[in-house]
Structures are given as structure tokens and as C-alpha cells.
Amino acid sequence: MKRGRYEDDYPPLDDHGVGGPNSAGKRQRGNDGGIVHLTLIDKLREEAARRNIQPYEPIQTDFILQLPQDERGKVSYEEVVGENLGLIIGKKFNTHKELQRIMDCSFKVWDEKKAVSYHGFPEKVIEAVLLVQELCYLGQATKRAREEEGDPLPVKQHNQHQHHQQQQQQQQPQQQSRQQNNKEETYEPKEGEIIETIEAPGKIGLVLGRKGVNITRIRRVSNCNVHADNETQSIRIVGIPENVQKCVALINETIERGNKNRAEKQQQQQQQRSMMDQQ
């Protein structure tokens, strides 16, 4: 039988629910009762709250109670996680180890199948499944929000000097993009140029792109002055007529591509939930 990753490191619990990393409890706490270990999912919950992201809605998991049980009353369940596998594993496998510490059941990942599997008492497997599903949802939702708002990815705080340098490097292209955007706003049309305004409610983030990469490309390819206004949710284009026409086409293409990517991600999530409901 093919073994899952970390099977030797994290053996299943015994009949009394003791063994592996789970015996350490849900979380480490200090003498004063305060949490001293903040997990990735805790950080994602805090970020989601700051960004007003809709909280995770638990999926139906009653079917796990109906799965065949072994002689010790434990069940096995496997689900495909697709592109979320990297998020679940984490850098240097830290997230997987973090999840295993929190869970009260055996938890393995399968690279080839892009799947994860659980083994333990039904109630504990349900808790673990919901935890992983919440992690995947929050990971995708916060990533999408950062991309739409042009924010950099979060950086670990263990090295303040390195963090400050990285933050400056990340902010530099954003500042340049904002300066360019302000310059475009005050640009006055020359002879032969026209002004066209596009209403784009809810789509400004897609047009800007992460760190302004999309709008920079649009300006370069169309040779137009383009200003995206977050307050009015509109886009101001200045240039000669043929360039303005090209610019409008590029903006529509960028929005359409962004909408398509969102729809594909939502469809994939729905398919995963449907597969779980059928099981």
C-alpha cells in the first residue's frame, strides 16, 4: 500500500486518543492562559476580519458519521484539494505540521493525487475536515483580496530589519504606480487627442492589478494616459482616437480575464463541495 507523506512522523492515535503530536493539545498556552502560538489559520481569520471578507460557512459533514468504521471505531476519509495542496503543506511543511498539532486524528497529504486523507474517530475527522476547508477558503479569499487591492503578500516578522527592507522594496513599485496614476489624472489632452471615461463599478482592482501591473501594461501597449479612480469607480482615458479604442479593448479584456479566473476558482470550489456531499 502506498504511504502518504509524514506517515512515519505522525502515526494514528491509539484507542485512547493519545500519541503523535496530538497529545500536546489544541494549542500551547502560557501560565496566564494567553495563547503563545498563533497558527496560520488564526492569522488568516484576523486578516479576513480586517478586509471584511465573508466568514467561512461550514459544509455538510454528516456523511462522515456514516463511513465504515474499523474495529476501533475509527473511519478513513480522503478528499481532493487541488491547488490548495501547497497552502496546506506550507513552506518547509510548516503548515501541515501546524495542522497536525491542532488535529486529534491522523492527517496525510498525497502529492500525486493532490489530495489529503484523515483517519480517526468520526467526530475528530469532522473537526479536521472543517479546519482544512476553512484554511483553504480563507487562503484563497485573502489572496484574492490582496491581488485586487494591490497589496503585497504577508511577510514573517521574525527578522524586523529584513522585513523593513522587504516592505520598502514592495512599497516602491506601489508608490511609483500611485504617482503615475496621479500624473495621469492631471494630464491635459493635446491637439488631436480625445477623452473617454469608462464606468467600472467593482472592477477597478482588476484593472489596476497587483502592484499596478495591469494598468501599467495597458498604458504601455495602448500609448494612452489612463487614470483609474477608486472613489468614482471609473477610468479616464486620454489619447488619439485609435489608441483610445485599443485601450478600451485592453481594459475590457483585462476585466473579462479577471472575471473568468474568479468564476473558475468558484466552480472548482463548488465541485469539491459537491464531491464531498456525494460521498
Side-chain angles (χ1 to χ4, degrees), residues 98-142:
E98 206 171 64
L99 289 170
Q100 185 69 70
R101 281 196 299 268
I102 298 172
M103 293 176 181
D104 283 335
C105 67
S106 177
F107 178 56
K108 308 180 185 69
V109 298
W110 305 84
D111 291 333
E112 293 182 1
K113 295 186 286 186
K114 292 194 177 298
V116 296
S117 62
Y118 313 82
H119 180 76
F121 296 108
E123 294 80 6
K124 300 304 180 183
V125 170
I126 287 175
E127 290 178 5
V129 169
L130 292 176
L131 183 68
V132 171
Q133 287 290 331
E134 183 180 11
L135 172 66
C136 294
Y137 167 77
L138 292 175
Q140 293 292 338
T142 52

Side-chain angles (χ1 to χ4, degrees), residues 170-181:
Q170 290 167 343
Q171 289 177 348
Q172 192 172 20
Q174 287 183 338
Q175 292 171 349
Q176 292 174 348
S177 178
R178 282 193 289 267
Q179 291 171 356
Q180 180 66 24
N181 203 37

Side-chain angles (χ1 to χ4, degrees), residues 196-239:
E196 182 160 341
T197 302
I198 299 177
E199 301 297 329
K203 306 299 181 183
I204 297 298
L206 294 176
V207 175
L208 289 173
R210 186 180 176 187
K211 298 181 182 179
V213 63
N214 289 346
I215 198 167
T216 300
R217 179 181 64 85
I218 291 169
R219 288 170 179 151
R220 185 181 68 252
V221 175
S222 68
N223 197 25
C224 287
N225 289 81
V226 186
H227 171 70
D229 193 325
N230 268 315
E231 291 185 5
T232 62
Q233 291 290 291
S234 63
I235 304 166
R236 178 179 182 263
I237 307 168
V238 182

